[in-house]
Amino acid sequence: MNKKINFFVFQDLPLKYAPAVNVWMFVLTLVSGICSVLQVYVVSDFIDAALQTVKKATLDFHLFFALFLLMLTVAIDWLAPRIQVILRQKSELRLLENYRPALLKKCAGLEYTHVEQGKSHDLISRILKETEKKWLDIYQAMLALLKILISIVGILFVIAGYVWWAAVLILLFSVPLFVYSIKSGKKNYQAKRDTSIYSRKYWYLDHVLNSRECLNERKLFGYSDKINKKYADTYYEAFWIETKTQIYWALKTKISGGLSSVAALLIVITLIQPTLAGKISIGLFISLVNAIFLLTSQMSWGLSRNIDTLVTGNEFCKDMREFWQLSEEDGVLELPQYMENIEKIEFRNVTFRYPGTDFYVLKNISFTMNMGKNYALVGSNGAGKTTVVKLLTGLYTDYAGEIMINGKELREYTKAEQKGMFSAVYQDFVQHALTFRENCEIGDLCNAVSQERIEELFKQFELTDTVENFPDGYDTLLGKTREGGLDLSGGQWQKLAMVRALLRPAKIRILDEPTASLDPKMESEVYQLFQQLAGGKLTILISHRLGFAKLADEIIVFDDGVICEQGDFAKLMKKNGLFCKMFEEQRSWYE
Ligand code: ADP
């Protein structure tokens, strides 16, 4: 565990994003802390005044004034926690308004590698989950400790004025309790971490058992019972760790509660003698006894609970610091800047391995592509085709060799220019829960997309009937995520993604196997249509199913990270190499 205290991560402190409300929370803590100390005097004054009244048998102004002060402190005591709850809610809202957008902006600007690599991805998910609540828990624990501190110091001062060594006793009692709380806080955090591994697993299994995405496979493979058993086992493992922690917590609270009562009793005994000697009034004695019992019990559970929160919070702040240090890409949030003209793409001896791996995925690749032509990248799964697209579209920049566009290295173009060069549909294209029209419009945010053009493309992709069958036509909300959302089939979503790509006026168009839901013949037809509609631009089509490759001006065959063959269909078939072999194997798919 990191020994460093990470709480003061100033660049993302919630005070910066919800200053007024958090300052009010701080002021309120000070007031109620000071009030709890003043209460010792107020209660004592009231009891003494009441005793005097009984003794003299006459009501005087002093009693009423003491009663007024007593009621005032009780009212503050009652109101303070309630106001704190309201302030906390306000603060959470402010953070959602001001802090979350900053977090999301940071996420959107992160380098692609952080989002794709597991470790950073886990960190990002942890950070985005209930961040506001975690921050406020930490802040409130700090405030609660401040309040306990004010009460301890205040009451110590009061007691020290009469019996100095009783004050020393309280101090001696608080130090081990403090150390013990930190230790058990760490233990609790470890238990939470252990359970989180299991809970991640059973939440995933829960998803497999209940989600719509897994429905088909669940029915086909009939694995529900098996997964159910695995779910139960994992759940019980987590449940057992949590129960052990709770038992430990309960024991700890009982033991420290018992100890604190003994300590309080000892302190009270020490006050009896000065009271009998008349050094302490009856009122002050009663008030001090009350305050000491309250304080020691607060120290036994309040201290441990808040220190627990801070120890856990320290880990969260460490995550937070790491998150803000993740590197960002310049210009990632800028809109694309479309280029007038692209003549040529040239890969020159490009070699690449993914960050954190030793395995070279592309080995000394060189090829040229010219404007106005259609290219097919083919090869078995894992040969490196998608990686070529990832490098070309600027997702990874740490490759060796050069990627030249119009004679200039890709990395020398701005992000906006790079974005403006390409339009792509990826394997894992997104099914946006937006309307048909919005799904199209996000293809080109720089220009107004005309309804005629959308309708024209829908017609080409045979989507017109689909859209007309939906109640609100182009304004129909798609996807099942919102009430009223309607869903499309896998193939219809793919066509919609292609329409979106074609609406973008970029010069290079890429299809990277988004056609998994279509049969080989249909895939080939859709690819053909995409090529025709791309008229005059440079298209790069990728698939391991080779039917579409017949139409390509040039086929580039990848095998294990190298280019093993290159040429048009006729040339490659004549060569009788890998492409020809693969094509013959698949021939029956197209008959
Ligand atoms: P293809 O598109 O030809 O099927 P890819 O370019 O997707 O192949 O993958 C090439 C190789 O790179 C594969 O061995 C794959 O496992 C590996 N790979 C792909 N993405 C990553 C990644 N993010 N991290 C590490 N390895 C990866």
Side-chain angles (χ1 to χ4, degrees), residues 116-117 354 357 359 361 380-387 390 396:
E116 219 195 19
Q117 303 304 314
Y354 281 96
T357 65
F359 173 70
V361 174
S380 53
N381 280 331
K385 307 177 296 287
T386 297
T387 307
K390 285 183 184 167
Y396 288 96

Side-chain angles (χ1 to χ4, degrees), residues 112-113 116-117 352-357 359-362 378-390 396 427 512-513 542 544 558 560-561:
Y112 180 73
T113 172
E116 219 195 19
Q117 303 304 314
F352 177 71
R353 61 179 174 184
Y354 281 96
T357 65
F359 173 70
Y360 282 96
V361 174
L362 296 179
V378 303
S380 53
N381 280 331
K385 307 177 296 287
T386 297
T387 307
V388 165
V389 171
K390 285 183 184 167
Y396 288 96
Q427 288 168 18
D512 181 3
E513 274 189 297
I542 301 175
H544 66 283
F558 284 81
D560 197 16

Side-chain angles (χ1 to χ4, degrees), residues 347-358:
F347 269 55
R348 291 186 189 158
N349 308 106
V350 173
T351 295
F352 177 71
R353 61 179 174 184
Y354 281 96
T357 65
D358 296 331

Side-chain angles (χ1 to χ4, degrees), residues 272-341:
I272 294 176
Q273 214 282 321
T275 312
L276 290 177
K279 272 167 88 181
I280 297 180
S281 71
I282 299 288
L284 186 59
F285 176 75
I286 295 173
S287 170
L288 271 177
V289 169
N290 183 35
I292 288 165
F293 272 103
L294 207 73
L295 185 67
T296 44
S297 83
Q298 235 181 46
M299 276 166 72
S300 70
W301 63 262
L303 205 65
S304 342
R305 201 185 54 184
N306 290 306
I307 288 177
D308 244 20
T309 310
L310 287 188
V311 174
T312 315
N314 187 36
E315 291 301 302
F316 169 69
C317 293
K318 206 165 79 185
D319 271 356
M320 193 51 111
R321 181 152 55 184
E322 208 180 307
F323 169 75
W324 282 104
Q325 279 167 355
L326 290 179
S327 48
E328 284 173 70
E329 263 178 69
D330 287 339
V332 111
L333 300 172
E334 284 169 23
L335 285 176
Q337 198 178 322
Y338 300 115
M339 281 175 73
E340 285 289 306
N341 192 19

